[in-house]
Amino acid sequence: MPVGRLRPIYGEPPSKVLMGTLDPTDWRELRTQGHRMLDDMLDYLEHIRERPVWRPIPNEVRARFREPLNRSPGDLTAAHETFMSHVLPYAVGNVHPGFMGWVHGGGTPVGMLAEMLAGGLNANLGGRDQMPLEVERQIVQWMRELFEFPESAGGLFVTGTSMANLIGVLTARTAALGDDVRHAGVATAGKHLVAYASAGVHESVTRALNICGLGSDALRIVAVDADHRMDVDALRCAIEADRDAGRTPFLVVGTAGTVDVGALDDLVALADTARREQLWFHVDGAYGALARLVPDLSQRLKGIERADSLAFDFHKWGQVPYDAGFVLVRDAEWLQRTFALPAHYLRRDRGGLAAGSPWPCDLGPDLSRGFRALKTWFTLTVYGTDRLGESVSRCCALARYLARRVEEAPRLELAAPVPLNIVCFRYRCEDSDRINAEIVVTLQESGVAAPSVTTVDGRLAIRAAIVNHRTAREDIDALVEAVLAAGDAKAASEPRRAREAS
């Protein structure tokens, strides 16, 4: 084959392939195949209830993706068929209404279509003067409005709350140590910085302290009360003890919806404490922050508007397809002081493509950034905040329904209060940790429901996180009945197990 010629990808004869370009010569054939792919995904979403939530991956399917790198062009139709038969049936299942294992949003057809548009546009939102950035800035303005942040606030799309938490910690570090920390590093600051969060804090906060050079030992884990909220008196004592020991408190992390049980810290009390002690107040609101869309739940987030920085995900309760995390900082100047770095190849101007400064690359670590804002803009525009809020409210109502089902079943027990959408419970039995863990695996492999496990007060519990807008009462009923059936079967096998062990 002559150099510079491409073999067929879409089925056209080699003589028709253009030199160099990766575009097809037969756009009609590509369009037809594209419609098949779109229809297949719409069919998948429309008929999701007819599928299992999750299914184990056969070894032969895994082997299909252990093949060596393909050197020669293949066929788009064949690649699509491989996806449909070997990838789609074995996904994690979070679009399914029976998926309750982790806090994953269900996505929407609207978001999927918007993602297609963004992919076709192939915009890099690191900077430059382009309308996609105006779409992102529109979302920033809407989030200022939703969370009652001042006009000075700035925001940024990121992969998820883990990255947003990192940006919050780095910005707080700059506020505590000054701009020189970016050049001289934390070792030269002469201060031993310490941060505070509840025992329910997400591990990404610990990871953020590792990444920014402070180390995980810099995080003080504060005890929680009976409702799993940070004990504010214990926080104040910890701050005082660190100051007396010559350390420098710099950050308080409040959580709006803990990952284990869905607890909401007292954000007003934390904001008061942070202000009095002159500490940066960051809120991890990964999914709980969007309870702000619901009037009766919004009151329980009182104090979130006083955060110096806020991290949350649109891809959870916002139902935007993955990924779409977001960070909002009360004073955008702190983002620039933390991340902006001049470079001759990023020179700004008052006109042309180099206009429109500051750019997102001045506000965060990424220069190459996808158009996450478009699927978020479509979701907010098409569904509206009222309808999205109704979805959040419905998830919480279903969680309360599940809690009632658990309380009414003699063989089940609640393991924690249910403040939002997460229900932790157990099947009552001997060797509870082992049996409940086995129940969860049984349910996942059955395809009926997919809860997960966590540890509450030192004991293993079944955890159902209701985040998907498709979940209904029938899915809650199916979960409860499946837990009872699996638990009863395992409890009945215990005497035989004991005899065999003896």
Side-chain angles (χ1 to χ4, degrees):
M1 176 177 292
V3 175
R5 297 290 295 275
L6 297 176
R7 293 179 181 173
I9 299 177
Y10 308 105
E12 66 273 19
S15 60
K16 291 180 61 181
V17 180
L18 297 177
M19 298 280 287
T21 181
L22 297 177
D23 287 335
T25 56
D26 191 340
W27 284 94
R28 179 178 297 177
E29 184 175 348
L30 176 65
R31 191 183 300 271
T32 299
Q33 179 59 34
H35 283 300
R36 291 193 197 105
M37 296 165 78
L38 176 60
D39 284 342
D40 278 348
M41 292 314 299
L42 291 175
D43 285 344
Y44 172 69
L45 294 177
E46 182 181 1
H47 301 290
I48 191 63
R49 284 189 172 276
E50 300 168 18
R51 295 177 172 271
V53 181
W54 178 83
R55 63 179 69 173
I57 306 171
N59 289 334
E60 59 270 22
V61 173
R62 292 188 192 274
R64 180 72 174 78
F65 292 89
R66 301 292 189 269
E67 297 175 354
L69 178 64
N70 187 26
R71 296 290 180 180
S72 301
D75 180 71
L76 178 60
T77 300
H80 174 214
E81 290 172 353
T82 297
F83 169 82
M84 294 300 298
S85 60
H86 291 79
V87 177
L88 181 143
Y90 306 105
V92 75
N94 53 296
V95 301
H96 195 288
F99 183 91
M100 306 172 200
W102 293 269
V103 185
H104 292 0
T108 66
V110 167
M112 183 192 79
L113 293 172
E115 188 80 310
M116 178 189 67
L117 297 178
L121 195 58
N122 193 33
N124 179 356
L125 270 69
R128 312 300 176 192
D129 193 17
Q130 53 174 314
M131 272 309 298
L133 282 184
E134 294 303 323
V135 175
E136 182 159 340
R137 288 166 182 149
Q138 173 76 90
I139 304 295
V140 173
Q141 178 58 46
W142 285 347
M143 293 306 102
R144 288 193 199 110
E145 179 183 338
L146 179 64
F147 292 104
E148 298 181 45
F149 270 50
E151 284 298 315
S152 62
L156 193 70
F157 274 94
V158 292
T159 53
T161 292
S162 292
M163 179 58 74
N165 282 337
L166 173 60
I167 290 174
V169 170
L170 286 168
T171 307
R173 188 191 68 174
T174 300
L177 298 181
D179 298 358
D180 286 347
V181 69
R182 298 183 58 191
H183 314 290
V186 296
T188 63
K191 294 181 179 180
H192 183 172
L193 297 185
V194 287
Y196 306 86
S198 82
V201 71
H202 193 267
E203 58 84 23
S204 62
V205 174
T206 304
R207 186 180 300 176
L209 288 164
N210 289 337
I211 294 172
C212 74
L214 298 177
S216 58
D217 287 348
L219 182 62
R220 302 289 185 260
I221 299 299
V222 181
V224 295
D225 61 19
D227 293 321
H228 297 267
R229 307 189 308 171
M230 190 191 302
D231 185 325
V232 180
D233 289 335
L235 168 65
R236 292 165 183 158
C237 290
I239 293 171
E240 182 179 357
D242 279 319
R243 289 199 194 280
D244 291 344
R247 304 182 187 94
T248 303
F250 82 111
L251 170 67
V252 172
V253 179
T255 302
T258 59
V259 69
D260 278 329
V261 300
L264 295 162
D265 283 338
D266 185 342
L267 301 180
V268 171
L270 295 186
D272 289 341
T273 301
R275 177 175 296 177
R276 182 172 56 253
E277 300 290 345
Q278 297 184 318
L279 309 181
W280 188 275
F281 180 36
H282 175 77
V283 174
D284 177 349
Y287 69 94
L290 287 182
R292 188 86 174 187
L293 296 169
V294 184
D296 60 330
L297 292 178
S298 182
Q299 292 302 310
R300 300 172 63 187
L301 292 173
K302 193 71 175 172
I304 201 170
E305 73 283 354
R306 296 170 59 187
D308 294 300
S309 53
L310 169 63
F312 65 96
D313 292 323
F314 286 109
H315 56 232
K316 292 187 170 74
W317 259 342
Q319 307 298 338
V320 174
Y322 277 84
D323 52 38
F326 200 80
V327 62
L328 190 64
V329 176
R330 174 169 297 278
D331 187 345
E333 182 182 346
W334 282 115
L335 286 173
Q336 293 190 62
R337 291 175 64 174
T338 302
F339 295 104
L341 191 66
H344 64 87
Y345 48 82
L346 296 176
R347 178 179 172 177
R348 316 302 163 82
D349 210 330
R350 287 182 290 181
L353 271 170
S357 186
W359 295 345
C361 63
D362 300 322
L363 309 178
D366 294 323
L367 178 56
S368 297
R369 304 173 65 250
F371 196 1
R372 298 183 180 98
L374 187 64
K375 56 191 174 185
T376 307
W377 185 89
F378 263 82
T379 300
L380 292 169
T381 299
V382 173
Y383 294 109
T385 57
D386 287 349
R387 190 172 177 190
L388 291 171
E390 289 170 2
S391 175
V392 172
S393 182
R394 188 162 169 264
C395 287
C396 294
L398 287 171
R400 294 191 296 271
Y401 174 67
L402 173 55
R404 290 196 301 272
R405 288 289 322 261
V406 169
E407 290 174 326
E408 292 167 358
R411 302 191 301 284
L412 301 179
E413 63 178 354
L414 282 177
V418 183
L420 282 178
N421 65 316
I422 294 179
V423 183
C424 294
F425 64 103
R426 302 183 187 93
Y427 181 89
R428 299 176 187 266
C429 59
E430 297 293 331
D431 200 2
S432 173
D433 283 7
R434 179 180 62 81
I435 294 295
N436 279 280
E438 291 179 359
I439 289 172
V440 167
V441 172
T442 298
L443 263 63
Q444 291 172 352
E445 293 184 346
S446 74
V448 173
S452 63
V453 298
T454 191
T455 301
V456 180
D457 297 329
R459 296 177 59 198
L460 185 139
I462 299 170
R463 173 176 173 269
I466 304 167
V467 189
N468 194 325
H469 61 92
R470 301 181 180 94
T471 303
R473 279 199 174 200
E474 63 192 83
D475 303 296
I476 303 299
D477 293 335
L479 170 68
V480 172
E481 297 307 320
V483 167
L484 289 170
D488 291 349
K490 293 182 184 302
S493 69
E494 283 303 288
R496 177 174 55 81
R497 183 194 294 266
R499 289 194 301 271
E500 292 173 351
S502 63

